[in-house]
Amino acid sequence: MLLFPANMEKQNTLLELQNYIGGKFVPSRSYIDSFDPSTGNIFCRVPDSGNEEVSAAVLAAKAAFPSWSSMSPQDRSAIMNKLADLIERHLDEFAQAESKDQGKTLTFARTVDIPRSVYNFRFFASSILHHTTECTQMENLNCMNYTLRTPIGVAGLISPWNLPLYLLTWKIAPAIACGNTVVAKPSEMTSLTAWMMCKLMEEAGVPPGVINIVFGTGPKAGEALVCHPDVPLISFTGSTVTAQRIIEKSAPYCKKLSLELGGKNPAIIFEDANLEDCINTTVRSSFSNQVKGYVKQALEEGAAVVCGESVDTLIIPPENQGGYFMLPTVIIELKETSCCIQEEIFGPVTCVVPFDTEEEVIEKANGVKYGLAATIWTRDVGRVHRVAKRLQSGLVWTNCWLVRDLNLPFGGMKASGLGREGGKDSYEFFTEVKTVTIKH
Ligand code: NAD
């Protein structure tokens, strides 16, 4: 089976995605255009879902919940492993589609995004088999207590454009491993690989209604999910502004929320850093995503742009002149208050700020509203502990970047998020805990 029709453009046909509800592909009444970032041309059409489609998906998920939640963890685990195997079997197709749809390099999609999506399913398929609950004794009262964890119901999952399948599966896998059923809404800008994955559900043995995918925009499809009374929990990854809206809209329903948000992640390079490792990694961490307005603003504020800024259109082939390209850009001489220092620039733009002391760099790093991740480069172990402890950041990488043990919490402080996801944290988020007390 071919998941992604590779010659589509040559045949001059436009791919049309469909929602996946109750184990079936459902055509949509209206569509939105999705663009190929390398050309700026329309490349596929994505369902423009709203209340009606979301309600149908929630209904299907509710119907599937009783049998999925009462299935043994071993049986759920086997189905998830089968889905992982199938994605892996189609790894090249998924990587090509992700690269075309999102604009990341094929190498990145092939070595990071898709393998990690496979691993997300395998990891949670395994971890669900190993959780334990607590038990305490109160001998003076002849009582014992134990905790019980149960799945919650229909989980609403909303993911961003930059790591499409990677982050979607990071949410689907723990949710279904715990026995919930899901309605997921990927980013309208990068929906392709989620739709491709739906084509594998039946073969993997995922029962109809356990995983439902509804495509569409945030304000319409996303908000319909957030406001649906039968969706008691929302796991969201995206911008802080959207999260504020989700908090506001979900408040009347008292939903359980997990919010993984934006960041302004400092890379702190001390004078004793191993520069060979540090420069290679920092170049990757600084220039992996794409936008432009901030550079213009920095120039207006009097900063200096030492490389990049825009792309010389002469170096772009004619068919890609309408694409979204930008050179890696480095800005210096910025004021602390500059929006380039304070706000998230989700692009290949980095601001270089000199410092003299540990105290000074900690103050600068903590002086922004975000607190997602930080990187420290030094050979001094004492300094690593001192600085890591004081940084207001959910993750601190030292002499490395983006190394993840999925057992451990992932998430941010301050405006970077609410809650954590990862082995035990995801298990706790996607289940409800109950304390049972027995007098004996
Ligand atoms: P975004 O907030 O614009 O959109 C994210 C998702 O939310 C999309 O699916 C979108 O359709 C949906 N959405 C938008 N408005 C909505 C609404 N009113 N109600 C419900 N859903 C709505 O973010 P984006 O541009 O897709 O992604 C970039 C952002 O995500 C950046 O801020 C980046 O830092 C953040 N991000 C964070 C992490 C993390 O792990 N903390 C990882 C990746 C990306």
Side-chain angles (χ1 to χ4, degrees), residues 239-250:
S239 63
T240 303
V241 172
T242 305
Q244 286 162 345
R245 175 96 183 153
I246 289 176
I247 293 170
E248 187 190 320
K249 285 282 162 185
S250 64

Side-chain angles (χ1 to χ4, degrees), residues 253-306:
Y253 307 93
C254 295
K255 296 197 180 199
K256 200 172 180 188
L257 297 180
S258 169
L259 306 172
E260 299 285 350
L261 312 180
K264 188 75 190 170
N265 304 337
I268 301 172
I269 305 171
F270 287 99
E271 73 283 358
D272 65 341
N274 174 338
L275 284 185
E276 205 175 313
D277 287 352
C278 164
I279 298 301
N280 280 336
T281 307
T282 307
V283 165
R284 273 203 314 133
S285 67
S286 302
F287 302 123
S288 289
N289 285 296
Q290 298 84 37
V291 279
K292 274 184 190 177
Y294 283 97
V295 183
K296 190 166 165 267
Q297 210 161 332
L299 288 167
E300 282 166 10
E301 286 173 8
V305 174
V306 289

Side-chain angles (χ1 to χ4, degrees), residues 158-163 167 185-189 216-219 222-223 226 236-240 242 245-246 260-263 344 346 372 410 416:
I158 303 176
S159 52
W161 70 279
N162 61 319
L163 293 162
L167 285 178
K185 195 210 81 66
S187 166
E188 60 274 33
M189 287 188 266
T217 66
E223 229 162 275
V226 167
F236 167 81
T237 301
S239 63
T240 303
T242 305
R245 175 96 183 153
I246 289 176
E260 299 285 350
L261 312 180
E344 177 182 43
F346 211 56
L372 181 59
F410 182 95
S416 288

Side-chain angles (χ1 to χ4, degrees), residues 20 68 79-80 83 176 200-211:
Y20 186 72
W68 181 252
I79 292 171
M80 291 173 64
L83 184 56
I176 64 169
L200 303 173
M201 299 290 182
E202 196 176 335
E203 191 180 347
V206 178
V210 170
I211 299 176

